[in-house]
Amino acid sequence: MSLRATTFVACSVLCAIRGADGAIIVFTDQFLYDDFTGPGSAFRHVEDFAGYSGTYAGPVTGQAGPVSWLANSASGIDGTGDRLASLSASALRFDFSAPGSILGIAGNFFATDTAGAVVPSLVQVSLADGTSYLNLIDSSTAWVAFYSTGAQITSIEITAQSLPGGSVVSRPTVDNLDILAVPAPGAIALLGLA
C-alpha cells in the first residue's frame, strides 16, 4: 500500500473516530495530526519558551495566543531559553485557560539531566481525564499530541523515570507546546461577520 493510500486510510479511520462523544485521540505522527487539525490553523498557538531563562521557585505563567498557561513543579522549574524542565525528577504540570475550548495539545516531551542534556527515560504525558501516553524517549524531537472530541483539555502532566540501573536524574522537559484553542461560539460568529 502506498504512503498516500495509507495516509488516506488512517485519516478516514481518524475522521470516523472524531465523531465519537468525548474521546481522546493520541497522535504520534505529526503529519497526521497536522492533517487532522488543519496545518497552520489560526486556532493553533505554539509556545517555544524562548523568553524563559533561569530557575523559578514557584509557578511560571505565559500566554500563547488567547491561551493562558501556568506551569508548576514541586521542585521548581528550570528555563533554558528554549524549553521548560522540572528542577528535579518531580512532575511538571501545565494548567490552561482560554476564552473558548482547548481541544488539542501537542509538543516535544522528553527528559533531561541536571546539566540539560537529553537522557533516555520513560516519559509519561497525562491529561486530567486520565488519558496518558507512556514511551521510552531518548530524543528532544520526540513528539506526541492529544485531541479531544468532547470535553476541553484543562491540564497536562509530564513525568520522567530513569531507566532501570540508571543513576542519572530524569527531569520531565517540554518544548514547542502546540495548543489548539477553538474560540467560544460567539467569537466564531464574529469571525464569520469579519
Side-chain angles (χ1 to χ4, degrees):
M1 187 180 282
S2 72
L3 176 61
R4 179 173 271 197
T6 303
T7 302
F8 176 75
V9 169
C11 287
S12 298
V13 169
L14 289 175
C15 289
I17 293 170
R18 192 181 216 178
D21 187 37
I24 298 287
I25 304 169
V26 180
F27 291 84
T28 57
D29 184 303
Q30 193 167 359
F31 172 79
L32 287 177
Y33 182 74
D34 288 346
D35 190 57
F36 188 75
T37 60
S41 167
F43 303 125
R44 286 177 63 183
H45 311 281
V46 177
E47 174 62 77
D48 63 5
F49 306 108
Y52 300 89
S53 186
T55 57
Y56 304 88
V60 174
T61 60
Q63 190 87 18
V67 179
S68 297
W69 57 264
L70 181 140
N72 208 352
S73 174
S75 62
I77 295 178
D78 182 22
T80 63
D82 67 348
R83 57 184 139 176
L84 287 185
S86 177
L87 278 175
S88 72
S90 58
L92 178 61
R93 180 184 169 99
F94 284 81
D95 291 292
F96 306 102
S97 63
S101 294
I102 298 171
L103 298 180
I105 295 289
N108 302 109
F109 303 100
F110 51 100
T112 54
D113 62 16
T114 54
V118 176
V119 293
S121 302
L122 292 173
V123 176
Q124 183 168 356
V125 183
S126 304
L127 301 181
D129 74 347
T131 302
S132 65
Y133 171 81
L134 172 68
N135 206 348
L136 172 61
I137 296 181
D138 61 0
S139 168
S140 63
T141 60
W143 183 91
V144 68
F146 299 89
Y147 180 85
S148 173
T149 62
Q152 170 173 264
I153 296 171
T154 58
S155 67
I156 61 169
E157 184 172 277
I158 306 102
T159 58
Q161 180 181 346
S162 299
L163 298 180
S167 60
V168 175
V169 172
S170 293
R171 305 178 317 155
T173 307
V174 62
D175 191 12
N176 301 313
L177 194 60
D178 183 329
I179 305 166
L180 174 64
V182 178
I188 291 175
L190 288 175
L191 285 173
L193 289 175

